[in-house]
């Protein structure tokens, strides 16, 4: 009887929970294994056997040069999980990460979800755009850490006695070792809450509430401790500086797709502009919410890789500005049908759980292993797959490693810019693995210095060999 009573009293919450579960399942089965995953796995294997990498071992050109493995712990973990769980790992890892993320949102917003169920449904459906960012990379773990950070900071903002903020330094330590490139976000958001909390004003629709001394001290202590915590890693203080150095690398930011700024004509970004609820809300907009909205929107427009940050941050804000709406009698049925539709989609599209890629085939890998190239030119996107197969590369997904050395030359050779024949001669490549879409392919096709070894027109790549003089 108690169970029936609980179900009856919480039926709508349970239905929303089922819908969110189906949403998580949909994202997990839509996993995309990008080429970066391959070198992450190989790095994890190497470090499990030989210790943390501080120098490159995967590139013939950069071999032995300093490289900071700022995701070392993540790589060791996923290598060993992959070894333990086999192919099922490719589904389990994103499912667990997204589930934790959504549980955080659900715990924070469960009472607010029912305030306006239609908006909640629209928000969940629009959030399916998150699927484009679901990859087996350390970013998934960073999303969880960011959500916990915003949650703890908001709880202190609303309750001066809250102590969850003291977990932030611990989170920062783990964050710095799992995904050092984003580990500065913990103390940065501490600083944002601290500064915005020093103001008190009422201007038009924006209202600022000054926090008290106890809150100021807690924010300040958490921020300072989190800054020190970032330095507790195998690379020390270098990790504290790394995110800023990375963001200052204009060559990398202007040429790596995930760092490209948002193109407003791309419809995939528009769901985030549902945040215009600020404009139509009858509530006063809290200054901290307005600042976080502005920052997250700026980040999303600056780089497409930051849109998930916008989504995560706004989950703690947007529901406060949605008007209350009466729950219609057919609402529950609508939620159930939507959730069941997503579950059926997942069943019909369940992943094959295989480690494969459409970029290269087994034959070209076999050829390269047989010829053992000493100075291979390869397309940037092929680097991770080649590393995974123990083939030394010219470049790969670690743009931060190559940017100051050969990355500009790689771009010029690829696009046939500048004195590209001289550059090709400079590196003295013995084999060249190129995409048929790259302009360098046209040059090699008609060059009397190179011969075609193998081509796969379906996958769109060609392997050339330099003719010995």
């Amino acid at each position: 009887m108690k169970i029936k009573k609980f179900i009856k009293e919480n039926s709508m919450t349970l239905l929303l929970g089922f819908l969110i579960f189906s949403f998580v399942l949909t994202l997990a089965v839509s996993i995309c294994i990008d080429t970066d995953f391959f070198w992450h796995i190989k790095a994890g294997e190497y470090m499990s056997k030989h210790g943390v990498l501080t120098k490159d071992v995967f590139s013939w050109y950069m071999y032995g040069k300093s490289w900071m493995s700022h995701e070392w712990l993540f790589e060791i973990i996923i290598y060993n999980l992959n070894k333990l769980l086999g192919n099922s790992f490719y589904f389990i890892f994103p499912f667990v990460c997204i589930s934790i993320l959504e549980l955080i949102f659900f715990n924070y917003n469960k009472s607010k979800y029912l305030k306006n169920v239609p908006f909640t449904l629209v928000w969940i459906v629009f959030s399916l755009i998150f699927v484009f960012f679901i990859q087996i990379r350390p970013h998934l773990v960073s999303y969880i850490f960011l959500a916990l950070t915003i949650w703890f900071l908001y709880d202190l903002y609303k309750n001066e006695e809250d102590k969850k903020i003291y977990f932030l330094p611990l989170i920062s330590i783990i964050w710095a070792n799992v995904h050092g490139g984003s580990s500065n976000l913990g103390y940065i958001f501490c600083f944002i809450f601290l500064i915005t909390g020093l103001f008190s004003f009422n201007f038009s629709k924006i209202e600022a509430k000054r926090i008290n001394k106890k809150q100021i001290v807690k924010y300040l202590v958490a921020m300072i401790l989190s800054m020190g915590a970032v330095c507790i890693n195998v690379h020390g203080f270098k990790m504290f500086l790394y995110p800023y150095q990375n963001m200052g690398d204009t060559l990398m930011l202007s040429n790596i797709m995930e760092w490209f700024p948002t193109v407003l004509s791309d419809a995939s970004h528009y769901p985030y502009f549902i945040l215009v609820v600020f404009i139509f809300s009858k509530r006063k907009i809290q200054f901290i919410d307005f600042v976080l909205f502005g920052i997250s929107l700026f980040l999303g427009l600056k780089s497409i890789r930051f849109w998930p940050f916008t989504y995560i941050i706004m989950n703690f804000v947007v529901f406060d500005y949605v008007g209350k709406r009466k729950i219609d009698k057919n609402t529950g049925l609508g939620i159930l049908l939507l959730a069941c539709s997503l579950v059926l989609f997942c069943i019909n599209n369940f992943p094959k759980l295989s480690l494969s890629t459409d970029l290269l085939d087994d034959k070209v890998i076999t050829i390269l292993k047989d010829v053992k190239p000493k100075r291979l030119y390869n397309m940037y996107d092929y680097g991770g797959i080649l590393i995974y197969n123990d083939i030394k590369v010219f470049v790969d997904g670690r743009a931060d490693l190559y940017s100051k050395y050969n990355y500009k030359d790689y771009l010029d050779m690829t696009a046939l810019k500048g004195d590209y024949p001289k550059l090709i001669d400079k590196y003295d490549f013995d084999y060249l693995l190129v995409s048929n879409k790259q302009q360098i392919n046209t040059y090699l096709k008609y060059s009397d210095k190179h011969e075609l070894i193998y081509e796969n027109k379906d996958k769109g790549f060609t392997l050339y060999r330099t003719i010995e003089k």
Side-chain angles (χ1 to χ4, degrees), residues 419-434:
D419 197 353
Y420 61 88
K422 188 176 180 181
L423 286 175
I424 294 174
D425 291 340
K426 168 189 170 183
Y427 289 102
D428 193 23
F429 301 112
D430 50 1
Y431 288 86
L432 301 97
L433 180 62
V434 303

Side-chain angles (χ1 to χ4, degrees), residues 296-327:
S296 61
L297 183 62
F298 169 77
L299 289 174
L301 293 173
K302 181 177 175 61
S303 171
I304 57 177
R305 68 174 288 158
F306 289 129
W307 277 122
F309 289 3
T310 308
Y311 166 72
I312 290 166
I313 294 170
M314 287 299 102
N315 263 281
F316 295 93
V317 175
V318 69
F319 289 97
D320 287 333
Y321 297 92
V322 178
K324 191 173 183 179
R325 182 185 175 96
K326 186 179 178 181
I327 298 176

Side-chain angles (χ1 to χ4, degrees), residues 269-396:
H269 299 137
Y270 281 117
Y272 294 97
F273 286 89
I274 198 172
L275 300 180
V276 295
V277 293
F278 274 134
I279 299 172
F280 298 103
S281 176
K282 295 178 180 180
R283 269 197 63 186
K284 284 274 190 179
I285 301 171
Q286 295 302 306
F287 184 49
I288 180 60
D289 298 341
F290 180 76
V291 170
L292 287 180
F293 167 68
I295 290 172
S296 61
L297 183 62
F298 169 77
L299 289 174
L301 293 173
K302 181 177 175 61
S303 171
I304 57 177
R305 68 174 288 158
F306 289 129
W307 277 122
F309 289 3
T310 308
Y311 166 72
I312 290 166
I313 294 170
M314 287 299 102
N315 263 281
F316 295 93
V317 175
V318 69
F319 289 97
D320 287 333
Y321 297 92
V322 178
K324 191 173 183 179
R325 182 185 175 96
K326 186 179 178 181
I327 298 176
D328 299 324
K329 61 180 181 180
N330 294 321
T331 300
L333 179 61
I335 295 173
L336 183 61
L337 289 174
L338 179 58
C340 289
S341 299
L342 288 174
V343 171
L344 287 173
F345 168 84
C346 295
I347 293 172
N348 291 328
N349 294 275
F350 202 78
K352 295 179 181 178
L353 302 177
S354 61
L355 184 57
S356 61
T357 174
D358 292 330
L359 293 180
L360 297 175
D361 61 22
D362 292 337
K363 186 172 181 179
V364 74
I365 296 298
T366 301
I367 293 172
L368 288 170
K369 284 187 173 183
D370 288 341
V371 299
K372 295 181 175 62
K374 294 180 179 178
R375 298 174 302 280
L376 174 70
Y377 168 94
N378 61 278
M379 180 184 174
Y380 179 89
D381 290 345
Y382 299 156
I385 307 164
L386 296 172
I387 289 173
Y388 186 77
N389 287 280
D390 298 311
I391 299 167
K392 292 288 191 292
V393 299
F394 182 56
V395 292
D396 60 81

Side-chain angles (χ1 to χ4, degrees), residues 120-239:
T120 300
L121 296 180
V122 170
W123 180 260
I124 291 172
V125 172
F126 275 160
S127 298
L128 283 171
I129 202 65
F130 202 70
V131 71
F132 294 110
F133 303 95
I134 303 303
Q135 299 165 341
I136 306 177
R137 295 174 65 181
H139 303 79
L140 279 186
V141 184
S142 276
Y143 297 157
I144 295 172
F145 291 151
L146 177 60
L148 288 173
T149 298
I150 301 299
W151 174 18
F152 296 167
L153 291 171
Y154 259 120
D155 274 4
L156 176 59
Y157 188 80
K158 295 174 181 178
N159 177 15
E160 65 179 41
E161 300 300 331
D162 195 84
K163 297 178 181 179
K164 288 192 290 292
I165 194 169
Y166 291 127
F167 284 104
L168 291 188
L170 177 60
I171 290 174
S172 294
I173 293 174
I174 303 171
W175 204 342
N177 289 277
V178 171
H179 190 202
S182 298
S183 58
N184 59 334
L185 291 176
Y187 63 79
I188 286 176
F189 277 105
C190 254
F191 177 75
I192 292 169
F193 271 79
L194 175 61
I195 294 300
T196 54
L198 298 179
F199 295 93
S200 178
F201 63 83
N202 199 322
F203 176 75
S204 185
K205 203 174 182 179
I206 300 176
E207 180 181 58
K209 183 187 76 171
R210 183 180 176 85
I211 57 178
N212 60 38
K213 290 182 179 179
K214 183 181 289 187
Q215 291 166 306
I216 290 173
V217 169
K218 286 185 177 181
Y219 280 129
L220 188 60
V221 169
M223 182 183 74
I224 294 171
L225 290 177
S226 296
M227 292 175 73
V230 170
C231 301
I232 303 175
N233 64 85
V234 294
H235 302 292
F237 185 67
K238 290 181 181 178
M239 190 64 76

